[in-house]
mmCIF file of all heavy atoms in Angstrom:
data_model
loop_
_atom_site.group_PDB
_atom_site.id
_atom_site.type_symbol
_atom_site.label_atom_id
_atom_site.label_comp_id
_atom_site.label_asym_id
_atom_site.label_seq_id
_atom_site.Cartn_x
_atom_site.Cartn_y
_atom_site.Cartn_z
ATOM 1 N N GLU A 1399 -73.688 -46.027 -1.142
ATOM 2 C CA GLU A 1399 -73.892 -46.374 -2.589
ATOM 3 C C GLU A 1399 -73.609 -45.136 -3.446
ATOM 4 O O GLU A 1399 -74.592 -44.553 -3.961
ATOM 5 C CB GLU A 1399 -75.247 -46.950 -2.791
ATOM 6 C CG GLU A 1399 -75.409 -48.379 -2.412
ATOM 7 C CD GLU A 1399 -74.665 -49.318 -3.324
ATOM 8 O OE1 GLU A 1399 -74.113 -48.884 -4.414
ATOM 9 O OE2 GLU A 1399 -74.517 -50.503 -2.994
ATOM 10 N N LYS A 1401 -71.927 -44.588 -6.378
ATOM 11 C CA LYS A 1401 -71.556 -44.576 -7.797
ATOM 12 C C LYS A 1401 -72.696 -44.194 -8.751
ATOM 13 O O LYS A 1401 -72.474 -43.438 -9.687
ATOM 14 C CB LYS A 1401 -71.019 -45.989 -8.206
ATOM 15 C CG LYS A 1401 -69.706 -46.291 -7.489
ATOM 16 C CD LYS A 1401 -69.085 -47.614 -7.994
ATOM 17 C CE LYS A 1401 -67.763 -47.844 -7.269
ATOM 18 N NZ LYS A 1401 -67.102 -49.074 -7.773
ATOM 19 N N TYR A 1402 -73.915 -44.671 -8.478
ATOM 20 C CA TYR A 1402 -75.025 -44.332 -9.363
ATOM 21 C C TYR A 1402 -75.212 -42.823 -9.486
ATOM 22 O O TYR A 1402 -75.545 -42.306 -10.552
ATOM 23 C CB TYR A 1402 -76.324 -44.976 -8.831
ATOM 24 C CG TYR A 1402 -76.242 -46.448 -8.655
ATOM 25 C CD1 TYR A 1402 -76.073 -46.986 -7.386
ATOM 26 C CD2 TYR A 1402 -76.332 -47.302 -9.743
ATOM 27 C CE1 TYR A 1402 -76.043 -48.345 -7.172
ATOM 28 C CE2 TYR A 1402 -76.245 -48.670 -9.527
ATOM 29 C CZ TYR A 1402 -76.116 -49.193 -8.226
ATOM 30 O OH TYR A 1402 -76.037 -50.558 -8.050
ATOM 31 N N ASP A 1408 -70.738 -34.871 -10.905
ATOM 32 C CA ASP A 1408 -69.520 -34.568 -11.650
ATOM 33 C C ASP A 1408 -69.853 -33.512 -12.756
ATOM 34 O O ASP A 1408 -68.991 -32.696 -13.109
ATOM 35 C CB ASP A 1408 -68.988 -35.826 -12.365
ATOM 36 C CG ASP A 1408 -68.171 -36.696 -11.408
ATOM 37 O OD1 ASP A 1408 -67.614 -36.183 -10.448
ATOM 38 O OD2 ASP A 1408 -68.063 -37.913 -11.689
ATOM 39 N N ARG A 1409 -71.044 -33.548 -13.262
ATOM 40 C CA ARG A 1409 -71.366 -32.704 -14.424
ATOM 41 C C ARG A 1409 -71.862 -31.307 -13.987
ATOM 42 O O ARG A 1409 -71.613 -30.315 -14.683
ATOM 43 C CB ARG A 1409 -72.468 -33.322 -15.279
ATOM 44 C CG ARG A 1409 -71.872 -34.381 -16.213
ATOM 45 C CD ARG A 1409 -72.891 -34.781 -17.253
ATOM 46 N NE ARG A 1409 -72.312 -35.527 -18.365
ATOM 47 C CZ ARG A 1409 -72.241 -36.829 -18.401
ATOM 48 N NH1 ARG A 1409 -72.700 -37.582 -17.447
ATOM 49 N NH2 ARG A 1409 -71.678 -37.408 -19.501
ATOM 50 N N ASP A 1419 -80.001 -24.683 -6.837
ATOM 51 C CA ASP A 1419 -79.520 -25.686 -7.757
ATOM 52 C C ASP A 1419 -78.865 -26.858 -7.061
ATOM 53 O O ASP A 1419 -78.994 -28.028 -7.522
ATOM 54 C CB ASP A 1419 -78.504 -25.067 -8.725
ATOM 55 C CG ASP A 1419 -79.183 -24.309 -9.886
ATOM 56 O OD1 ASP A 1419 -80.422 -24.432 -10.002
ATOM 57 O OD2 ASP A 1419 -78.493 -23.676 -10.699
ATOM 58 N N LYS A 1422 -81.402 -29.322 -5.951
ATOM 59 C CA LYS A 1422 -81.874 -30.105 -7.080
ATOM 60 C C LYS A 1422 -80.847 -31.159 -7.470
ATOM 61 O O LYS A 1422 -81.194 -32.319 -7.756
ATOM 62 C CB LYS A 1422 -82.089 -29.134 -8.277
ATOM 63 C CG LYS A 1422 -82.933 -29.609 -9.363
ATOM 64 C CD LYS A 1422 -83.547 -28.417 -10.153
ATOM 65 C CE LYS A 1422 -82.476 -27.742 -10.990
ATOM 66 N NZ LYS A 1422 -83.095 -26.756 -11.906
ATOM 67 N N ASP A 1429 -82.158 -39.624 -6.710
ATOM 68 C CA ASP A 1429 -83.171 -40.225 -7.552
ATOM 69 C C ASP A 1429 -82.572 -41.333 -8.431
ATOM 70 O O ASP A 1429 -83.119 -42.433 -8.490
ATOM 71 C CB ASP A 1429 -83.788 -39.139 -8.443
ATOM 72 C CG ASP A 1429 -84.930 -39.662 -9.285
ATOM 73 O OD1 ASP A 1429 -85.878 -40.267 -8.706
ATOM 74 O OD2 ASP A 1429 -84.897 -39.552 -10.518
ATOM 75 N N SER A 1434 -81.885 -47.350 -9.129
ATOM 76 C CA SER A 1434 -81.019 -48.455 -9.522
ATOM 77 C C SER A 1434 -80.616 -49.330 -8.365
ATOM 78 O O SER A 1434 -79.972 -50.353 -8.579
ATOM 79 C CB SER A 1434 -79.787 -47.872 -10.241
ATOM 80 O OG SER A 1434 -80.160 -47.312 -11.471
ATOM 81 N N SER A 1475 -86.827 -37.839 -15.585
ATOM 82 C CA SER A 1475 -86.913 -38.994 -16.445
ATOM 83 C C SER A 1475 -87.261 -38.615 -17.839
ATOM 84 O O SER A 1475 -86.721 -39.025 -18.866
ATOM 85 C CB SER A 1475 -87.898 -40.022 -15.934
ATOM 86 O OG SER A 1475 -87.310 -40.915 -15.041
ATOM 87 N N LEU A 1478 -84.486 -36.762 -19.535
ATOM 88 C CA LEU A 1478 -83.392 -37.662 -19.965
ATOM 89 C C LEU A 1478 -83.807 -38.399 -21.273
ATOM 90 O O LEU A 1478 -83.007 -38.522 -22.144
ATOM 91 C CB LEU A 1478 -83.139 -38.642 -18.862
ATOM 92 C CG LEU A 1478 -82.288 -38.242 -17.673
ATOM 93 C CD1 LEU A 1478 -81.956 -39.453 -16.806
ATOM 94 C CD2 LEU A 1478 -80.989 -37.565 -18.158
ATOM 95 N N SER A 1481 -83.649 -35.978 -24.074
ATOM 96 C CA SER A 1481 -82.254 -35.747 -24.459
ATOM 97 C C SER A 1481 -81.728 -36.911 -25.230
ATOM 98 O O SER A 1481 -81.018 -36.800 -26.207
ATOM 99 C CB SER A 1481 -81.377 -35.514 -23.198
ATOM 100 O OG SER A 1481 -81.856 -34.472 -22.418
ATOM 101 N N PHE A 1482 -82.120 -38.111 -24.782
ATOM 102 C CA PHE A 1482 -81.619 -39.318 -25.395
ATOM 103 C C PHE A 1482 -82.052 -39.390 -26.890
ATOM 104 O O PHE A 1482 -81.263 -39.785 -27.751
ATOM 105 C CB PHE A 1482 -82.150 -40.565 -24.641
ATOM 106 C CG PHE A 1482 -81.694 -41.863 -25.226
ATOM 107 C CD1 PHE A 1482 -80.432 -42.324 -24.971
ATOM 108 C CD2 PHE A 1482 -82.521 -42.613 -26.053
ATOM 109 C CE1 PHE A 1482 -79.993 -43.517 -25.561
ATOM 110 C CE2 PHE A 1482 -82.118 -43.828 -26.623
ATOM 111 C CZ PHE A 1482 -80.828 -44.287 -26.348
ATOM 112 N N VAL A 1485 -79.868 -36.560 -28.848
ATOM 113 C CA VAL A 1485 -78.435 -36.817 -29.052
ATOM 114 C C VAL A 1485 -78.230 -37.806 -30.226
ATOM 115 O O VAL A 1485 -78.970 -38.772 -30.317
ATOM 116 C CB VAL A 1485 -77.776 -37.354 -27.764
ATOM 117 C CG1 VAL A 1485 -76.372 -37.853 -28.011
ATOM 118 C CG2 VAL A 1485 -77.792 -36.280 -26.708
ATOM 119 N N GLU B 244 -67.244 -52.224 -13.636
ATOM 120 C CA GLU B 244 -67.739 -51.014 -13.029
ATOM 121 C C GLU B 244 -69.142 -50.634 -13.500
ATOM 122 O O GLU B 244 -69.306 -49.770 -14.338
ATOM 123 C CB GLU B 244 -66.776 -49.889 -13.262
ATOM 124 C CG GLU B 244 -65.566 -49.880 -12.372
ATOM 125 C CD GLU B 244 -65.875 -49.473 -10.935
ATOM 126 O OE1 GLU B 244 -67.008 -49.086 -10.667
ATOM 127 O OE2 GLU B 244 -65.012 -49.671 -10.114
ATOM 128 N N LYS B 246 -72.006 -49.645 -11.955
ATOM 129 C CA LYS B 246 -73.043 -48.805 -11.281
ATOM 130 C C LYS B 246 -73.224 -47.445 -11.966
ATOM 131 O O LYS B 246 -74.352 -46.966 -12.064
ATOM 132 C CB LYS B 246 -72.657 -48.629 -9.864
ATOM 133 C CG LYS B 246 -72.744 -49.957 -9.087
ATOM 134 C CD LYS B 246 -72.539 -49.807 -7.580
ATOM 135 C CE LYS B 246 -72.650 -51.133 -6.877
ATOM 136 N NZ LYS B 246 -72.524 -50.997 -5.429
ATOM 137 N N TYR B 247 -72.118 -46.787 -12.378
ATOM 138 C CA TYR B 247 -72.237 -45.433 -12.944
ATOM 139 C C TYR B 247 -73.177 -45.441 -14.168
ATOM 140 O O TYR B 247 -73.917 -44.474 -14.362
ATOM 141 C CB TYR B 247 -70.895 -44.893 -13.336
ATOM 142 C CG TYR B 247 -69.843 -44.874 -12.259
ATOM 143 C CD1 TYR B 247 -68.866 -45.886 -12.212
ATOM 144 C CD2 TYR B 247 -69.873 -43.898 -11.293
ATOM 145 C CE1 TYR B 247 -67.924 -45.851 -11.207
ATOM 146 C CE2 TYR B 247 -68.929 -43.892 -10.266
ATOM 147 C CZ TYR B 247 -67.956 -44.886 -10.237
ATOM 148 O OH TYR B 247 -67.047 -44.887 -9.236
ATOM 149 N N ASP B 253 -81.378 -48.351 -17.166
ATOM 150 C CA ASP B 253 -82.688 -48.585 -16.477
ATOM 151 C C ASP B 253 -83.765 -47.756 -17.063
ATOM 152 O O ASP B 253 -84.955 -48.162 -17.143
ATOM 153 C CB ASP B 253 -82.539 -48.204 -14.982
ATOM 154 C CG ASP B 253 -81.890 -49.333 -14.145
ATOM 155 O OD1 ASP B 253 -81.971 -50.508 -14.546
ATOM 156 O OD2 ASP B 253 -81.291 -49.015 -13.120
ATOM 157 N N ARG B 254 -83.404 -46.561 -17.558
ATOM 158 C CA ARG B 254 -84.427 -45.587 -18.032
ATOM 159 C C ARG B 254 -84.849 -45.844 -19.479
ATOM 160 O O ARG B 254 -85.981 -45.579 -19.881
ATOM 161 C CB ARG B 254 -83.976 -44.170 -17.865
ATOM 162 C CG ARG B 254 -84.141 -43.706 -16.436
ATOM 163 C CD ARG B 254 -83.894 -42.218 -16.384
ATOM 164 N NE ARG B 254 -84.366 -41.617 -15.160
ATOM 165 C CZ ARG B 254 -83.580 -41.432 -14.043
ATOM 166 N NH1 ARG B 254 -82.346 -41.804 -14.096
ATOM 167 N NH2 ARG B 254 -84.099 -40.884 -12.968
ATOM 168 N N LYS B 267 -76.548 -46.107 -29.017
ATOM 169 C CA LYS B 267 -76.465 -44.819 -28.320
ATOM 170 C C LYS B 267 -76.535 -45.057 -26.792
ATOM 171 O O LYS B 267 -75.776 -44.458 -26.043
ATOM 172 C CB LYS B 267 -77.639 -43.930 -28.831
ATOM 173 C CG LYS B 267 -77.453 -42.497 -28.579
ATOM 174 C CD LYS B 267 -78.366 -41.695 -29.496
ATOM 175 C CE LYS B 267 -79.844 -41.803 -29.188
ATOM 176 N NZ LYS B 267 -80.680 -40.868 -29.920
ATOM 177 N N ASP B 274 -70.040 -43.598 -21.432
ATOM 178 C CA ASP B 274 -69.568 -42.211 -21.247
ATOM 179 C C ASP B 274 -69.667 -41.807 -19.762
ATOM 180 O O ASP B 274 -68.711 -41.200 -19.221
ATOM 181 C CB ASP B 274 -70.435 -41.283 -22.099
ATOM 182 C CG ASP B 274 -69.944 -39.858 -22.067
ATOM 183 O OD1 ASP B 274 -68.782 -39.612 -22.344
ATOM 184 O OD2 ASP B 274 -70.747 -38.975 -21.756
ATOM 185 N N SER B 279 -66.614 -40.807 -14.612
ATOM 186 C CA SER B 279 -66.556 -40.911 -13.140
ATOM 187 C C SER B 279 -65.597 -41.927 -12.627
ATOM 188 O O SER B 279 -65.363 -41.977 -11.395
ATOM 189 C CB SER B 279 -67.985 -41.240 -12.622
ATOM 190 O OG SER B 279 -68.854 -40.153 -12.854
ATOM 191 N N SER B 320 -73.722 -34.146 -22.424
ATOM 192 C CA SER B 320 -73.400 -33.235 -21.303
ATOM 193 C C SER B 320 -74.211 -31.991 -21.367
ATOM 194 O O SER B 320 -74.856 -31.560 -20.356
ATOM 195 C CB SER B 320 -71.941 -32.888 -21.314
ATOM 196 O OG SER B 320 -71.183 -33.764 -20.568
ATOM 197 N N LEU B 323 -77.879 -32.784 -20.635
ATOM 198 C CA LEU B 323 -78.057 -33.010 -19.201
ATOM 199 C C LEU B 323 -78.125 -31.688 -18.472
ATOM 200 O O LEU B 323 -78.957 -31.492 -17.591
ATOM 201 C CB LEU B 323 -76.966 -33.873 -18.615
ATOM 202 C CG LEU B 323 -77.031 -35.388 -18.898
ATOM 203 C CD1 LEU B 323 -75.942 -36.052 -18.075
ATOM 204 C CD2 LEU B 323 -78.353 -35.936 -18.490
ATOM 205 N N SER B 326 -81.313 -29.992 -19.276
ATOM 206 C CA SER B 326 -82.426 -30.626 -18.550
ATOM 207 C C SER B 326 -82.403 -30.198 -17.077
ATOM 208 O O SER B 326 -83.436 -29.970 -16.450
ATOM 209 C CB SER B 326 -82.346 -32.123 -18.589
ATOM 210 O OG SER B 326 -82.313 -32.576 -19.943
ATOM 211 N N PHE B 327 -81.189 -30.138 -16.517
ATOM 212 C CA PHE B 327 -81.054 -29.807 -15.091
ATOM 213 C C PHE B 327 -81.623 -28.394 -14.808
ATOM 214 O O PHE B 327 -82.258 -28.196 -13.819
ATOM 215 C CB PHE B 327 -79.526 -29.832 -14.728
ATOM 216 C CG PHE B 327 -79.293 -29.538 -13.270
ATOM 217 C CD1 PHE B 327 -79.511 -30.428 -12.291
ATOM 218 C CD2 PHE B 327 -78.800 -28.235 -12.929
ATOM 219 C CE1 PHE B 327 -79.305 -30.128 -10.965
ATOM 220 C CE2 PHE B 327 -78.598 -27.911 -11.608
ATOM 221 C CZ PHE B 327 -78.808 -28.857 -10.605
ATOM 222 N N VAL B 330 -85.661 -28.670 -15.038
ATOM 223 C CA VAL B 330 -86.369 -29.414 -14.027
ATOM 224 C C VAL B 330 -86.465 -28.528 -12.790
ATOM 225 O O VAL B 330 -85.507 -27.838 -12.410
ATOM 226 C CB VAL B 330 -85.640 -30.733 -13.721
ATOM 227 C CG1 VAL B 330 -86.209 -31.369 -12.454
ATOM 228 C CG2 VAL B 330 -85.717 -31.673 -14.852
#
Side-chain angles (χ1 to χ4, degrees):
Chain A
E1399 280 290 350
K1401 295 186 179 182
Y1402 305 101
D1408 280 334
R1409 280 191 166 94
D1419 277 355
K1422 198 158 73 172
D1429 184 55
S1434 291
S1475 271
L1478 282 187
S1481 304
F1482 181 77
V1485 168
Chain B
E244 280 289 350
K246 295 186 180 183
Y247 305 102
D253 280 333
R254 281 191 166 94
K267 199 159 72 172
D274 184 55
S279 292
S320 270
L323 282 187
S326 303
F327 181 76
V330 169

